[in-house]
PDB file of all heavy atoms in Angstrom:
ATOM      1  N   ALA A  74     152.823 132.976  18.811  1.00 97.00           N
ATOM      2  CA  ALA A  74     151.595 133.596  18.297  1.00 97.00           C
ATOM      3  C   ALA A  74     151.833 134.213  16.932  1.00 97.00           C
ATOM      4  O   ALA A  74     151.013 134.057  16.019  1.00 97.00           O
ATOM      5  CB  ALA A  74     151.089 134.646  19.281  1.00 97.00           C
ATOM      6  N   GLN A  75     152.934 134.898  16.781  1.00 97.00           N
ATOM      7  CA  GLN A  75     153.244 135.547  15.502  1.00 97.00           C
ATOM      8  C   GLN A  75     153.354 134.509  14.388  1.00 97.00           C
ATOM      9  O   GLN A  75     152.926 134.752  13.262  1.00 97.00           O
ATOM     10  CB  GLN A  75     154.542 136.334  15.625  1.00 97.00           C
ATOM     11  CG  GLN A  75     154.880 137.119  14.382  1.00 97.00           C
ATOM     12  CD  GLN A  75     156.114 137.992  14.591  1.00 97.00           C
ATOM     13  OE1 GLN A  75     156.676 138.067  15.678  1.00 97.00           O
ATOM     14  NE2 GLN A  75     156.526 138.655  13.547  1.00 97.00           N
ATOM     15  N   ASN A  76     153.876 133.340  14.705  1.00 97.00           N
ATOM     16  CA  ASN A  76     154.074 132.302  13.696  1.00 97.00           C
ATOM     17  C   ASN A  76     152.850 131.421  13.450  1.00 97.00           C
ATOM     18  O   ASN A  76     152.729 130.821  12.383  1.00 97.00           O
ATOM     19  CB  ASN A  76     155.253 131.405  14.086  1.00 97.00           C
ATOM     20  CG  ASN A  76     156.564 132.143  14.049  1.00 97.00           C
ATOM     21  OD1 ASN A  76     156.752 133.059  13.260  1.00 97.00           O
ATOM     22  ND2 ASN A  76     157.480 131.762  14.925  1.00 97.00           N
ATOM     23  N   HIS A  77     151.938 131.335  14.426  1.00 97.00           N
ATOM     24  CA  HIS A  77     150.870 130.343  14.317  1.00 97.00           C
ATOM     25  C   HIS A  77     149.441 130.853  14.434  1.00 97.00           C
ATOM     26  O   HIS A  77     148.522 130.167  13.997  1.00 97.00           O
ATOM     27  CB  HIS A  77     151.079 129.238  15.368  1.00 97.00           C
ATOM     28  CG  HIS A  77     152.332 128.463  15.166  1.00 97.00           C
ATOM     29  ND1 HIS A  77     152.441 127.468  14.229  1.00 97.00           N
ATOM     30  CD2 HIS A  77     153.537 128.573  15.751  1.00 97.00           C
ATOM     31  CE1 HIS A  77     153.660 126.969  14.259  1.00 97.00           C
ATOM     32  NE2 HIS A  77     154.348 127.627  15.168  1.00 97.00           N
ATOM     33  N   TRP A  78     149.236 131.996  15.078  1.00 98.00           N
ATOM     34  CA  TRP A  78     147.871 132.422  15.351  1.00 98.00           C
ATOM     35  C   TRP A  78     147.664 133.896  15.042  1.00 98.00           C
ATOM     36  O   TRP A  78     148.588 134.685  15.058  1.00 98.00           O
ATOM     37  CB  TRP A  78     147.511 132.209  16.832  1.00 98.00           C
ATOM     38  CG  TRP A  78     147.727 130.819  17.323  1.00 98.00           C
ATOM     39  CD1 TRP A  78     147.187 129.670  16.814  1.00 98.00           C
ATOM     40  CD2 TRP A  78     148.542 130.412  18.418  1.00 98.00           C
ATOM     41  NE1 TRP A  78     147.615 128.594  17.531  1.00 98.00           N
ATOM     42  CE2 TRP A  78     148.456 129.009  18.525  1.00 98.00           C
ATOM     43  CE3 TRP A  78     149.342 131.094  19.327  1.00 98.00           C
ATOM     44  CZ2 TRP A  78     149.115 128.284  19.495  1.00 98.00           C
ATOM     45  CZ3 TRP A  78     150.011 130.364  20.293  1.00 98.00           C
ATOM     46  CH2 TRP A  78     149.893 128.983  20.372  1.00 98.00           C
ATOM     47  N   ILE A  79     146.412 134.247  14.837  1.00 98.00           N
ATOM     48  CA  ILE A  79     145.977 135.630  14.831  1.00 98.00           C
ATOM     49  C   ILE A  79     145.336 135.829  16.204  1.00 98.00           C
ATOM     50  O   ILE A  79     144.474 135.046  16.605  1.00 98.00           O
ATOM     51  CB  ILE A  79     144.944 135.900  13.707  1.00 98.00           C
ATOM     52  CG1 ILE A  79     145.531 135.540  12.333  1.00 98.00           C
ATOM     53  CG2 ILE A  79     144.456 137.335  13.768  1.00 98.00           C
ATOM     54  CD1 ILE A  79     146.780 136.305  11.944  1.00 98.00           C
ATOM     55  N   THR A  80     145.769 136.831  16.939  1.00 98.00           N
ATOM     56  CA  THR A  80     145.298 136.999  18.315  1.00 98.00           C
ATOM     57  C   THR A  80     144.355 138.198  18.432  1.00 98.00           C
ATOM     58  O   THR A  80     144.569 139.236  17.827  1.00 98.00           O
ATOM     59  CB  THR A  80     146.490 137.181  19.282  1.00 98.00           C
ATOM     60  OG1 THR A  80     147.306 138.262  18.832  1.00 98.00           O
ATOM     61  CG2 THR A  80     147.327 135.915  19.362  1.00 98.00           C
ATOM     62  N   TYR A  81     143.315 137.990  19.231  1.00 98.00           N
ATOM     63  CA  TYR A  81     142.346 139.051  19.513  1.00 98.00           C
ATOM     64  C   TYR A  81     141.966 138.967  20.985  1.00 98.00           C
ATOM     65  O   TYR A  81     141.602 137.893  21.474  1.00 98.00           O
ATOM     66  CB  TYR A  81     141.091 138.914  18.652  1.00 98.00           C
ATOM     67  CG  TYR A  81     140.112 140.034  18.898  1.00 98.00           C
ATOM     68  CD1 TYR A  81     140.175 141.204  18.152  1.00 98.00           C
ATOM     69  CD2 TYR A  81     139.170 139.951  19.910  1.00 98.00           C
ATOM     70  CE1 TYR A  81     139.309 142.255  18.402  1.00 98.00           C
ATOM     71  CE2 TYR A  81     138.299 140.995  20.167  1.00 98.00           C
ATOM     72  CZ  TYR A  81     138.370 142.139  19.409  1.00 98.00           C
ATOM     73  OH  TYR A  81     137.513 143.187  19.675  1.00 98.00           O
ATOM     74  N   LYS A  82     142.041 140.083  21.666  1.00 98.00           N
ATOM     75  CA  LYS A  82     141.679 140.133  23.081  1.00 98.00           C
ATOM     76  C   LYS A  82     140.377 140.904  23.228  1.00 98.00           C
ATOM     77  O   LYS A  82     140.313 142.093  22.921  1.00 98.00           O
ATOM     78  CB  LYS A  82     142.792 140.794  23.883  1.00 98.00           C
ATOM     79  CG  LYS A  82     142.660 140.570  25.380  1.00 98.00           C
ATOM     80  CD  LYS A  82     143.823 141.169  26.136  1.00 98.00           C
ATOM     81  CE  LYS A  82     145.101 140.456  25.786  1.00 98.00           C
ATOM     82  NZ  LYS A  82     146.287 141.091  26.373  1.00 98.00           N
ATOM     83  N   ALA A  83     139.347 140.231  23.694  1.00 98.00           N
ATOM     84  CA  ALA A  83     138.063 140.873  24.002  1.00 98.00           C
ATOM     85  C   ALA A  83     138.123 141.273  25.467  1.00 98.00           C
ATOM     86  O   ALA A  83     137.903 140.463  26.362  1.00 98.00           O
ATOM     87  CB  ALA A  83     136.911 139.908  23.734  1.00 98.00           C
ATOM     88  N   ASP A  84     138.459 142.523  25.698  1.00 98.00           N
ATOM     89  CA  ASP A  84     138.667 143.008  27.054  1.00 98.00           C
ATOM     90  C   ASP A  84     137.398 143.656  27.592  1.00 98.00           C
ATOM     91  O   ASP A  84     136.657 144.301  26.854  1.00 98.00           O
ATOM     92  CB  ASP A  84     139.829 144.013  27.062  1.00 98.00           C
ATOM     93  CG  ASP A  84     140.321 144.324  28.460  1.00 98.00           C
ATOM     94  OD1 ASP A  84     140.021 143.556  29.405  1.00 98.00           O
ATOM     95  OD2 ASP A  84     141.012 145.354  28.626  1.00 98.00           O
TER      96      ASP A  84
END
Side-chain angles (χ1 to χ4, degrees):
Q75 184 175 356
N76 293 329
H77 296 281
W78 306 303
I79 302 300
T80 55
Y81 182 90
K82 195 177 294 174
D84 193 17

